[in-house]
Amino acid sequence: MLKNKKLAFFMAAVFAAASLPCQAAETWVLSGPDGWENVQDSPQGAFLLAISKIKQQIEAGNSRQAIRALEGLKIDYPQFDGPDLDLFIEAETLYSKTVLSKAARQYNRILTEHPDSPLYAAASERLYSIGAAYAGGQKRAFLKILRFPAHDEGEKILRGLADRGGNSPLAYRCLLTVAENQERRDLFLDAYQTWAEIADRWPTGEYGRQALLRMAQSLHAAYTSPHFDATVLRGAASYFEDYQQRYPDSARQLEIPDTLDLIVEQQAYRHFFTGLYYERLEKEDAATMYYERVAADWPGTKAADMADRH
């Protein structure tokens, strides 16, 4: 575990260094008992910097230049030549040509077949980019002619990465992206389930706070009219109350007390609406039962006032 953490820190420093301007090229990382060393003095550091620069070329649209650089990796860094590098070169070439689905399969093979590869982090980031693009609405080519939304494939990629990542920052990013895209597509009950998964993995801290809030908001958003089951309202109220108790200052800023009042009105109105339905069917006893319940359970609400007039 310690070895993996040190490798992850090392690779993060390398990829961060590659994003800096040329005049800030020197980057130092901890290296064993001798303290700090320049990543360029390390063979693996130089290799990963080359990989990161190739990724930048692809992102900038310089695909031909990037492909030439990929082809030169085996010559420039023969000590890292192997099946994982072969897969990465193939995946990056496909990615540069926007053949994302096939590229994703090759990146995934690196993670599955070569978990100790120095290319693991780069492949993971590429997979995240593909998954996020698909989940966000980018279409997938079919038979090289038709293009269809690939939301499900994107979510599958992101969830696979999250399962591999445990409680890592990348795992959180993956689940966050899934949840936010589900909300964007009005899949609020699905989003609630994803936020609940996030809350289960990160129950405390900022991640846990945000997950609790978004669980409540997703359930509340799932209730669209009195025609629907009010279970989501009760669930939303419970989570909002929990949030208010745990984070009172934030709850006041977010006007959660007003939201809880709104939920009370929505619950009351749903039962009033049911009474109105029975009244229109001329089932007076059933209608009266619902009106009386509204007045008894939610006094002071607008729905209770309307129920009193019926």
Side-chain angles (χ1 to χ4, degrees):
M1 178 65 73
L2 181 59
K3 178 182 177 182
N4 291 340
K5 287 184 178 180
K6 290 174 69 176
L7 178 60
F9 173 78
F10 179 81
M11 289 189 291
V14 168
F15 290 125
S19 66
L20 297 174
C22 294
Q23 62 266 29
E26 290 193 357
T27 300
W28 299 80
V29 296
L30 284 171
S31 177
D34 297 327
W36 294 87
E37 71 170 352
N38 190 330
V39 294
Q40 291 184 333
D41 295 335
S42 160
Q44 184 164 305
F47 174 64
L48 292 176
L49 279 173
I51 292 292
S52 187
K53 288 175 182 177
I54 291 171
K55 291 177 66 179
Q56 289 182 350
Q57 289 170 349
I58 293 174
E59 297 297 341
N62 301 324
S63 296
R64 290 184 180 179
Q65 183 179 354
I67 290 173
R68 286 197 298 269
L70 283 168
E71 292 170 348
L73 285 173
K74 287 175 170 286
I75 298 172
D76 296 336
Y77 303 96
Q79 66 271 49
F80 296 105
D81 190 6
D84 55 334
L85 181 56
D86 291 336
L87 286 171
F88 188 80
I89 291 173
E90 182 180 355
E92 286 288 282
T93 302
L94 289 166
Y95 186 90
S96 70
K97 297 176 180 179
T98 65
V99 187
L100 300 186
S101 187
K102 289 183 179 179
R105 285 197 290 271
Q106 301 306 86
Y107 291 126
N108 198 56
R109 284 186 62 189
I110 294 173
L111 305 189
T112 302
E113 299 172 15
H114 308 281
D116 295 325
S117 170
L119 297 166
Y120 191 96
S124 296
E125 285 295 335
R126 278 294 198 227
L127 263 180
Y128 171 79
S129 297
I130 295 171
Y134 280 158
Q138 183 165 324
K139 295 183 178 181
R140 175 186 174 188
F142 180 70
L143 298 178
K144 299 183 179 180
I145 301 174
L146 304 175
R147 299 182 68 83
F148 296 103
H151 298 292
D152 290 344
E153 184 172 353
E155 181 174 329
K156 181 179 178 181
I157 290 171
L158 293 171
R159 286 193 173 279
L161 278 172
D163 289 343
R164 293 180 188 275
N167 293 334
S168 69
L170 178 60
Y172 175 76
R173 264 197 296 147
C174 289
L175 292 178
L176 176 67
T177 301
V178 169
E180 290 183 338
N181 278 291
Q182 288 169 333
E183 289 177 337
R184 208 167 284 121
R185 296 166 60 203
D186 294 340
L187 301 174
F188 295 113
L189 291 179
D190 291 340
Y192 161 75
Q193 294 291 345
T194 305
W195 286 116
E197 185 177 347
I198 292 172
D200 184 58
R201 291 200 197 189
W202 296 275
T204 59
E206 180 57 23
Y207 292 170
R209 184 197 68 79
Q210 183 186 46
L212 176 59
L213 175 64
R214 300 290 278 271
M215 287 165 67
Q217 291 173 333
S218 292
L219 281 182
H220 193 204
Y223 183 79
T224 56
S225 83
H227 297 284
F228 290 88
D229 186 359
T231 302
V232 292
L233 287 178
R234 293 192 293 271
S238 176
Y239 287 121
F240 277 127
E241 289 167 355
D242 189 13
Y243 188 91
Q244 184 172 240
Q245 183 176 3
R246 292 169 62 180
Y247 311 103
D249 293 339
S250 176
R252 282 192 293 272
Q253 293 175 356
L254 295 169
E255 299 180 344
I256 284 179
D258 293 340
T259 301
L260 286 168
D261 289 342
L262 173 61
I263 291 175
V264 169
E265 288 284 355
Q266 288 173 318
Q267 289 176 309
Y269 182 74
R270 185 179 184 279
H271 280 79
F272 170 78
F273 181 85
T274 303
L276 193 63
Y277 167 78
Y278 282 117
E279 183 177 345
R280 288 170 179 169
L281 292 179
E282 298 182 353
K283 295 184 177 182
E284 297 296 333
D285 290 343
T288 299
M289 180 186 70
Y290 275 96
Y291 292 147
E292 289 177 350
R293 181 176 177 184
V294 171
D297 292 352
W298 296 282
T301 62
K302 294 178 181 178
D305 292 340
M306 290 188 291
D308 287 337
R309 294 196 293 269
H310 280 263

